[in-house]
């Protein structure tokens, strides 16, 4: 069972990123709600999205440097999506969309709970 799950996650990185973004977003939002931070759901989604963007941009920057670009060009290219492949774009967008969907659900749940009180 575990081998099958790990095989699926390795074979489908965008899906696995989306599945891991789910508890990450919920956990960060729960911690921020407990700390009474403003806009905890949106902040959690932004943190998760930024994490995955940085992860994919770092990989692109590394690849661009090895293609012969200097460090500044490689950094700017990676930051502005130059040289990103479709799988890398999907591996950033899938968890980002999941994070914002979870944030919306948490926001709606919290707003409904506060209305009934």
């Amino acid at each position: 069972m575990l081998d099958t799950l790990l095989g699926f996650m390795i074979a489908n990185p965008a899906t696995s990123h989306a599945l891991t973004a789910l508890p990450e977003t919920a956990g960060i939002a729960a911690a921020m709600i407990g700390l009474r931070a403003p806009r905890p759901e949106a902040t959690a989604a932004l943190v998760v999205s930024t994490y995955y963007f940085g992860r994919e941009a770092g990989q692109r920057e590394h690849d661009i440097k090895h293609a012969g670009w200097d460090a500044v060009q490689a950094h700017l290219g990676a930051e502005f999506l130059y040289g990103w492949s479709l799988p890398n774009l999907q591996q950033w967008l899938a968890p980002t969309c999941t994070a914002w969907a979870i944030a919306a659900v948490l926001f709606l749940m919290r707003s409904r709970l506060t209305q009934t009180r």
Side-chain angles (χ1 to χ4, degrees):
M1 169 91 173
L2 185 59
D3 291 343
T4 306
L5 179 62
L6 289 175
F8 174 80
M9 303 256 315
I10 291 169
N12 302 291
T15 304
S16 70
H17 284 36
L19 291 174
T20 56
L22 226 152
E24 290 169 350
T25 306
I28 293 170
M32 294 185 72
I33 289 168
L35 294 170
R36 301 200 184 278
R39 297 178 186 81
E41 301 89 354
T43 304
L46 186 61
V47 166
V48 170
S49 177
T50 302
Y51 165 74
Y52 283 99
F53 177 83
R55 189 171 186 266
E56 297 307 318
Q59 184 177 350
R60 289 299 100 211
E61 182 176 350
H62 178 76
D63 293 345
I64 293 170
K65 280 181 190 174
H66 281 280
W69 290 40
D70 68 55
V72 173
Q73 288 176 326
H75 177 74
L76 292 175
E79 289 295 320
F80 293 104
L81 306 178
Y82 182 80
W84 281 46
S85 64
L86 182 59
N88 289 110
L89 194 57
Q90 291 168 339
Q91 289 173 45
W92 168 52
L93 288 177
T96 296
C97 292
T98 300
W100 284 102
I102 294 301
V105 167
L106 291 173
F107 177 79
L108 290 173
M109 287 172 48
R110 281 189 353 117
S111 65
R112 295 259 167 112
L113 285 174
T114 56
Q115 285 178 355
T116 59
R117 287 184 186 174

